[in-house]
Amino acid sequence: MKRLALLLSLSFVCLANSLAQDAVKQLTLLYDTSYDMQDKDFAAELQFLDSYFNQNPEVKVRYIAFSNTVIQEGNYTITSGNWNGLRRELEQSIYDGAGNYDNLFEGINSDVILVTNGRADLQSFPSDFNHKINVICSVTNSNQKGLEGLALRTGGTFFNVFATTKEVPAGDGIITVSGTVADANGPLDGVSVFNRETGARTMTDASGNYSLNAKINGILEFTYVGKNSLLTRVPEDGVKNVQMIAGSEVLDEVILTATLESNEDEVNTGNMRVARKRLGYNIETITDEDISDQDITLETAIQGQFSNISLKPDQDITQFLSRGNNMTILLDQTGLIVVDGVPIESSPGALSGVTTGNNGVGTLNDRSIFGQGGLLDPANIADITVLKGLAATNKYGTLGRNGVILVTTKTAAVSKGTTRDSAIPLGTTATYTGTAEDMAALPDTPYMKALQRANNIDEAYNIYLDQRQRYGRSSSFFIDAASYFKDWNNDVLVSRVLSNAKLVAKSASELRATAYQYENLGLYKEALSIYAELVEAWPEQVQNYRNLALAQEAAGMPKEALEIYKAIDNKTLAQNGQLGNLQSTYVKEYKNLLFRHRRNLDLTGVRDFFKSNVTHRARVVFEWSDYDAAFDLQIVNPQNRFFTWKHDQTSDAFRWADEQSLGYGLEEFFMTNQDVGEWLFNVNYKGKITGDNALPTYLKVTVIYDFGTPNQKQEVQLVRLEDLGKEQTVLKVNL
């Protein structure tokens, strides 16, 4: 050990001598105090700086501590190598927040010593900085190549001063363990490997290989962005290969049932048949008594029977127009046809977004389904109901955005039986009983209870630092803590606390939840940074592009947002423009971008279709951080009637598969000027199908009033879902 210490001292002297040759008289010390710097080798840093000031005894130092922003500044004059004042400042550093190099070099006119791990965006450094940047790194999990390049570009030097004493010698139960870390696609580069017993840590190389000394039967911790952390024991043979995968906890299927009350005057709402007098909105229905014997097709049967239903003589029923200003990216403005509970595909040219196979309704082979004597022969129809507005989207979501025509055939009605007093598994009831609890503003967690005991912000921050020691590996801790500190009206502290969530996030869902919180807090620039990272890391998830475009617009970058929308329309982004249920969402937001920023945008290459605007009295958008989260969304209208939109694998297997393959989790609802009063949105959370239910799911709920008009205004809130089977009110909308 004495020989090792001597070698280290000689190494530091040599490094300091090489830096001292520049004869720096003025120096700026940029000191990274971000959260992921707390595990650095602080003693090695101090030893290096001590050697440096011994070689440079007369220096004026401008000290800047930073994490997500500049935390502290000060000036120190070093005389005769005495830097004790600066040293005490470094020793008192609090490590919190994510690293951020934006604008860090503004006003600096001297050589720089930068102490950091390089894990923030190195592109933020100025390309024309004309002084040397000498980099000190004492962290194994660092961006060494990036920092070396930064130093080289400015004529500086990169110093890796991580002490070799961290390498635990073999013997006394300590062995060298090695192996390969991979996922389903092959070896993983940059996986952090840490032995909890010895403190030894390393990273995998480009081939996924690693090697370090560890205690037999000790715990190895493997961490990697985009994968769940993995813990494993050190084997006696010293070989441990690891396959990193996502969480695997699976929920049992949940089935809800309800009893349907009998009533002579019942109508089909899509969710169920209910008494007309119990509905809180108008609904139009005709029965077989309203269909003439002269009606030989369904098209002739509905002509003139319903208000605001348009059908040209040369169109079949799948091309009817109802709410014609809501169009998908495929130029669709048709409604949805549902026959005996089954959505029917539109004819060519309509493209409603509903598909039942390559040989769906509207093709020449199946055209007879609408003809005389076919399944939809008017003589075989029991009733026809038209749903519009929220009544349509409650059950069918965005598929019902342009209205829904429900057709019940006599064949289906007979097959279902005639007894209506028995329990029917419909999953909803017509009358809301008021059992939902208001969602608490802050979660009922141990760390939140501790924070709420604080009497002032300084006390609260100290409690936060204490609780961070136990919960600081979870992004949800920082997301929730940011909500708490928001009430103290300290934006700098809120931003610093929340920035830690990005550092510890291990999956796309955790990064998404962090971005949702940034948007909830109005910090759109920070959200933009995360969405850009999501697009780069998970380019196959189509919602990432939509979220990035919205964040760019909110951050004052409409031109950049336009380029995303154009690329999607040109099928060069988002799985070649395959958007699934998101296509209508993209269209509305594309049109809205052009409406709001038309004067500042170059519309070259923008199709005329997108230049006509879409308006809604109110638009409610739900997004969930975990795409495999299952829940019931219960919507209660001002007349105290409710409907349930289900998001689970059994209720709509086609949509579920579409979400998982394309990568999105979003549903939107619309309200009209007739939907006056208070609307309640309740959520019954069922957990994640494949994810880790020890971690919460976050809902971002956006309400846009007067969408698509000059008076448009927006409200965003973040909802934490954790309690399974608990009905909670997450949103109230008053019109």
Side-chain angles (χ1 to χ4, degrees):
M1 290 298 295
K2 291 182 178 180
R3 182 180 180 185
L4 177 60
L6 177 60
L7 290 174
L8 282 174
S9 298
L10 291 175
S11 298
F12 284 123
V13 170
C14 292
L15 292 174
N17 281 336
S18 65
L19 197 55
Q21 293 174 2
D22 297 326
V24 176
K25 299 300 181 183
Q26 304 248 353
L27 175 71
T28 300
L29 176 61
L30 298 177
Y31 200 72
D32 190 346
T33 59
S34 57
Y35 181 46
D36 57 355
M37 288 288 290
Q38 63 178 346
D39 293 329
K40 66 183 180 178
D41 192 333
F42 183 57
E45 283 183 4
L46 294 181
Q47 189 172 358
F48 174 85
L49 290 173
D50 193 53
S51 297
Y52 171 78
F53 288 120
N54 283 335
Q55 299 298 319
N56 299 269
E58 309 293 330
V59 185
K60 290 185 178 180
V61 179
R62 180 186 177 191
Y63 166 70
I64 300 176
F66 70 95
S67 57
N68 65 309
T69 186
V70 172
I71 305 299
Q72 186 179 358
E73 293 190 60
N75 295 295
Y76 293 86
T77 299
I78 310 301
T79 303
S80 301
N82 184 351
W83 66 291
N84 288 337
L86 177 57
R87 180 183 181 123
R88 284 192 295 270
E89 193 71 69
L90 301 185
E91 291 172 338
Q92 296 171 6
S93 297
I94 296 176
Y95 296 91
D96 195 26
N100 188 339
Y101 304 135
D102 286 344
N103 306 317
L104 190 59
F105 281 74
E106 288 186 359
I108 294 179
N109 190 29
S110 69
D111 285 359
V112 172
I113 290 181
L114 172 65
V115 181
T116 188
N117 57 16
R119 294 184 62 187
D121 184 9
L122 291 172
Q123 299 300 321
S124 301
F125 285 110
S127 58
D128 57 349
F129 190 71
N130 56 3
H131 295 278
K132 292 180 180 180
I133 302 177
N134 301 287
V135 182
I136 301 175
C137 182
S138 67
V139 182
T140 54
N141 187 15
S142 65
N143 180 6
Q144 181 170 332
K145 291 183 179 179
L147 293 175
E148 287 176 341
L150 173 66
L152 182 62
R153 288 196 304 273
T154 61
T157 306
F158 172 76
F159 300 102
N160 186 347
V161 299
F162 188 82
T164 57
T165 53
K166 283 290 183 180
E167 294 294 337
V168 181
D172 295 329
I174 304 296
I175 64 171
T176 299
V177 59
S178 61
T180 301
V181 182
D183 64 2
N185 298 317
L188 291 174
D189 178 18
V191 177
S192 175
V193 187
F194 174 68
N195 181 225
R196 290 187 172 181
E197 284 70 24
T198 64
R201 61 175 76 234
T202 187
M203 296 181 68
T204 58
D205 59 21
S207 299
N209 298 321
Y210 73 94
S211 177
L212 80 166
N213 289 348
K215 187 175 182 179
I216 297 175
N217 291 324
I219 296 177
L220 288 180
E221 179 178 358
F222 298 81
T223 56
Y224 188 76
V225 175
K227 305 292 181 184
N228 286 345
S229 294
L230 189 148
L231 302 178
T232 185
R233 294 286 181 182
V234 176
E236 292 184 0
D237 63 1
V239 178
K240 188 63 182 180
N241 298 320
V242 169
Q243 186 83 3
M244 300 198 75
I245 58 176
S248 59
E249 185 170 352
V250 179
L251 282 180
D252 292 332
E253 182 179 349
V254 179
I255 300 177
L256 300 179
T257 62
T259 301
L260 182 66
E261 296 179 352
S262 61
N263 191 289
E264 293 182 357
D265 186 17
E266 292 178 329
V267 292
N268 189 359
T269 67
N271 285 356
M272 62 184 303
R273 301 185 70 84
V274 297
R276 182 188 299 273
K277 66 181 182 180
R278 297 174 64 192
L279 290 176
Y281 55 88
N282 292 327
I283 193 169
E284 294 183 90
T285 300
I286 63 173
T287 67
D288 55 351
E289 296 180 358
D290 302 304
I291 299 176
S292 170
D293 293 338
Q294 298 178 354
D295 294 323
I296 61 174
T297 66
L298 184 59
E299 289 86 354
T300 59
I302 70 167
Q303 287 288 6
Q305 299 275 20
F306 301 99
S307 61
N308 298 321
I309 293 294
S310 173
L311 190 66
K312 296 180 180 179
D314 60 343
Q315 290 179 314
D316 66 54
I317 188 62
T318 67
Q319 296 174 314
F320 82 91
L321 305 180
S322 176
R323 302 167 69 203
N325 63 340
N326 298 325
M327 306 174 71
T328 72
I329 207 163
L330 298 178
L331 306 183
D332 170 46
Q333 60 185 68
T334 61
L336 174 67
I337 297 290
V338 179
V339 179
D340 295 335
V342 179
I344 302 299
E345 183 183 15
S346 295
S347 296
L351 298 174
S352 68
V354 183
T355 59
T356 57
N358 295 328
N359 193 30
V361 173
T363 66
L364 293 177
N365 293 336
D366 283 344
R367 188 63 182 86
S368 61
I369 194 172
F370 294 109
Q372 187 176 15
L375 175 63
L376 293 187
D377 182 350
N380 189 38
I381 293 176
D383 59 55
I384 303 173
T385 298
V386 173
L387 303 178
K388 289 177 285 187
L390 196 63
T393 55
N394 277 333
K395 169 65 177 175
Y396 301 102
T398 52
L399 297 181
R401 61 194 172 272
N402 298 322
V404 179
I405 293 181
L406 305 174
V407 180
T408 303
T409 64
K410 294 177 180 178
T411 304
V414 171
S415 66
K416 292 178 182 177
T418 57
T419 302
R420 293 180 179 258
D421 293 328
S422 60
I424 301 175
L426 298 176
T428 186
T429 59
T431 303
Y432 175 59
T433 59
T435 59
E437 300 178 6
D438 285 344
M439 174 68 75
L442 296 173
D444 186 24
T445 61
Y447 54 79
M448 197 57 65
K449 292 177 180 177
L451 283 169
Q452 290 174 319
R453 290 194 291 266
N455 296 312
N456 54 64
I457 192 169
D458 292 332
E459 184 178 345
Y461 188 64
N462 287 330
I463 293 174
Y464 153 77
L465 293 176
D466 181 62
Q467 295 296 313
R468 192 183 69 176
Q469 295 181 22
R470 181 174 181 181
Y471 301 102
R473 293 189 178 186
S474 171
S475 60
S476 59
F477 167 74
F478 297 107
I479 293 173
D480 299 337
S483 294
Y484 167 80
F485 281 110
K486 179 183 178 182
D487 293 336
W488 286 103
N489 297 318
N490 189 318
D491 294 339
V492 173
L493 184 55
V494 168
S495 179
R496 185 191 311 167
V497 168
L498 182 56
S499 67
N500 295 310
K502 178 181 176 181
L503 294 178
V504 301
K506 301 179 182 66
S507 64
S509 60
E510 291 182 64
L511 285 173
R512 249 190 314 275
T514 304
Y516 291 167
Q517 178 68 301
Y518 273 125
E519 291 175 301
N520 174 47
L521 298 172
L523 302 172
Y524 293 103
K525 183 179 178 181
E526 290 82 354
L528 170 62
S529 174
I530 294 181
Y531 286 133
E533 182 176 330
L534 283 167
V535 165
E536 182 176 357
W538 289 275
E540 74 282 359
Q541 296 181 351
V542 298
Q543 188 170 326
N544 291 339
Y545 299 95
R546 174 258 182 188
N547 290 344
L548 176 59
L550 288 182
Q552 287 173 332
E553 180 185 5
M557 303 167 59
K559 295 179 181 178
E560 290 78 0
L562 176 60
E563 292 306 312
I564 291 179
Y565 288 119
K566 289 168 63 176
I568 292 173
D569 187 38
N570 294 332
K571 301 186 183 303
T572 59
L573 282 182
Q575 298 200 32
N576 299 321
Q578 300 301 312
L579 305 174
N581 270 31
L582 279 187
Q583 55 192 15
S584 63
T585 300
Y586 268 97
V587 159
K588 293 181 185 69
E589 291 164 351
Y590 191 176
K591 287 172 173 279
N592 196 44
L593 174 78
L594 299 182
F595 171 75
R596 291 165 58 85
H597 303 281
R598 184 182 298 267
R599 294 181 180 180
N600 300 318
L601 296 175
D602 180 3
L603 303 187
T604 302
V606 176
R607 290 193 287 133
D608 290 340
F609 162 67
F610 295 107
K611 298 176 184 178
S612 60
N613 197 25
V614 176
T615 61
H616 295 293
R617 174 63 184 87
R619 177 171 174 249
V620 182
V621 183
F622 284 81
E623 302 172 55
W624 41 99
S625 59
D626 293 87
Y627 292 158
D628 65 342
F631 56 89
D632 290 344
L633 180 60
Q634 182 189 75
I635 305 171
V636 185
N637 70 10
Q639 287 73 36
N640 208 37
R641 311 303 182 197
F642 81 88
F643 317 91
T644 301
W645 182 80
K646 291 177 172 293
H647 183 258
D648 57 48
Q649 199 168 10
T650 57
S651 297
D652 192 343
F654 176 82
R655 168 168 177 150
W656 185 274
D658 196 52
E659 290 178 346
Q660 307 312 309
S661 63
L662 294 179
Y664 67 90
L666 178 149
E667 187 56 85
E668 53 184 348
F669 304 90
F670 314 99
M671 298 175 187
T672 68
N673 289 326
Q674 285 71 45
D675 299 323
V676 178
E678 182 180 68
W679 291 79
L680 302 181
F681 291 79
N682 305 326
V683 169
N684 185 351
Y685 181 51
K686 303 176 184 178
K688 305 166 193 173
I689 300 302
T690 60
D692 183 0
N693 282 296
L695 300 174
T697 290
Y698 289 89
L699 283 178
K700 186 183 80 170
V701 186
T702 307
V703 183
I704 309 102
Y705 297 96
D706 298 317
F707 178 80
T709 74
N711 298 323
Q712 176 176 316
K713 62 179 181 179
Q714 174 175 298
E715 297 176 358
V716 179
Q717 71 178 65
L718 191 71
V719 177
R720 187 184 199 268
L721 299 180
E722 186 173 31
D723 296 330
L724 302 182
K726 185 177 182 180
E727 188 178 292
Q728 295 178 293
T729 300
V730 298
L731 176 68
K732 296 180 181 180
V733 177
N734 284 284
L735 292 180

